[in-house]
Amino acid sequence: TQLLEQSPQFLSIQEGENLTVYCNSSSVFSSLQWYRQEPGEGPVLLVTVVTGGEVKKLKRLTFQFGDARKDSSLHITAAQPGDTGLYLCAGVGSGGGADGLTFGKGTHLIIQP
Amino acid sequence: DVKVTQSSRYLVKRTGEKVFLECVQDMDHENMFWYRQDPGLGLRLIYFSYDVKMKEKGDIPEGYSVSREKKERFSLILESASTNQTSMYLCASLGTPGGVRAQHFGDGTRLSIL
């Protein structure tokens, strides 16, 4: 069974600060995805990283896939209250089948105004 | 945009009742999923379906069953609801935009079993 560990589990910081959350595994994934879930809603896909070492930017969010395709990080610059939410990473397995996604338990992020 | 619609946002039922949670997607996706989400446990896969009338057990299928009579609709059934099934239930369908798998989620059903 492939497992994804996310850290920290909870993070509360002031508006304007920078932060990084991590997603780690001992398994190799063909790609890795980050989702954000706001209260009362389902998770929404933010980004997919596919190549080892790949870096993708989405405004103030920077996503990186580890060289060995076992881990990923999400860095937020100058955090805003609108960034508050649950951030989930999901690994896409190299095998086929509909069940090829493994989710981490998530990082609860709160940005205080 | 993909739309995944869950029939109820909030539901309150009693122990022992048979409970139906409905999910509909509008993108002709073959693969659909039911998860439950609990604090500290993350998303756990209950069942998934890769085609009409086809179903596979996920990680925690006990106490649940599913039905996929039409491609767009995937139903989760609690045969005899128990208090430990109080949870947030999320339905998803799987698309492959640009060749990369991505799950599209509904807004969830918060189910309370009294």
Side-chain angles (χ1 to χ4, degrees):
Chain A
T1 304
Q2 297 176 308
L3 294 174
L4 278 168
E5 299 285 341
Q6 287 190 244
S7 61
Q9 189 176 357
F10 297 96
L11 184 59
S12 179
I13 62 172
Q14 294 295 125
E15 180 177 0
E17 293 185 22
N18 302 331
L19 67 108
T20 302
V21 298
Y22 300 93
C23 176
N24 295 298
S25 177
S26 58
S27 302
V28 176
F29 293 97
S30 62
S31 62
L32 206 138
Q33 301 178 330
W34 286 91
Y35 292 77
R36 180 169 67 206
Q37 184 178 15
E38 298 187 22
E41 298 182 8
V44 175
L45 180 65
L46 295 174
V47 76
T48 301
V49 284
V50 180
T51 307
E54 182 177 5
V55 176
K56 279 192 175 177
K57 292 198 172 189
L58 192 66
K59 297 183 181 178
R60 293 174 293 99
L61 278 60
T62 302
F63 304 84
Q64 184 161 8
F65 200 12
D67 291 340
R69 305 210 316 278
K70 293 182 179 181
D71 54 83
S72 181
S73 63
L74 158 59
H75 181 79
I76 302 179
T77 305
Q80 303 294 310
D83 296 327
T84 292
L86 174 66
Y87 288 80
L88 295 160
C89 66
V92 183
S94 52
D99 60 335
L101 280 174
T102 302
F103 282 90
K105 293 181 181 178
T107 293
H108 292 268
L109 177 62
I110 297 173
I111 310 301
Q112 314 263 12
Chain B
D1 272 357
V2 177
K3 184 72 174 176
V4 178
T5 304
Q6 294 184 231
S7 55
S8 304
R9 293 296 296 272
Y10 300 93
L11 206 53
V12 180
K13 296 291 182 181
R14 295 205 173 273
T15 303
E17 282 192 68
K18 190 168 186 176
V19 181
F20 293 85
L21 302 183
E22 306 287 346
C23 175
V24 177
Q25 51 97 0
D26 66 357
M27 281 301 291
D28 204 36
H29 288 163
E30 293 179 347
N31 300 314
M32 296 185 73
F33 305 80
W34 274 106
Y35 295 89
R36 60 178 286 177
Q37 185 176 32
D38 300 287
L41 297 176
L43 282 163
R44 292 183 291 167
L45 181 64
I46 304 171
Y47 266 97
F48 65 96
S49 168
Y50 52 91
D51 204 349
V52 175
K53 296 191 186 295
M54 306 304 288
K55 60 185 179 184
E56 292 285 344
K57 293 180 180 179
D59 299 321
I60 51 164
E62 296 78 19
Y64 303 94
S65 63
V66 290
S67 173
R68 186 107 180 261
E69 295 298 317
K70 294 184 178 181
K71 194 173 187 179
E72 67 270 19
R73 186 179 297 271
F74 192 33
S75 303
L76 179 70
I77 303 154
L78 285 66
E79 297 291 343
S80 178
S82 63
T83 54
N84 63 12
Q85 292 178 308
T86 290
S87 186
M88 167 71 95
Y89 288 87
L90 288 163
C91 173
S93 70
L94 182 68
T96 54
V100 177
R101 289 180 182 177
Q103 295 212 351
H104 303 270
F105 287 87
D107 284 338
T109 295
R110 190 165 291 281
L111 175 64
S112 295
I113 307 296
L114 304 179

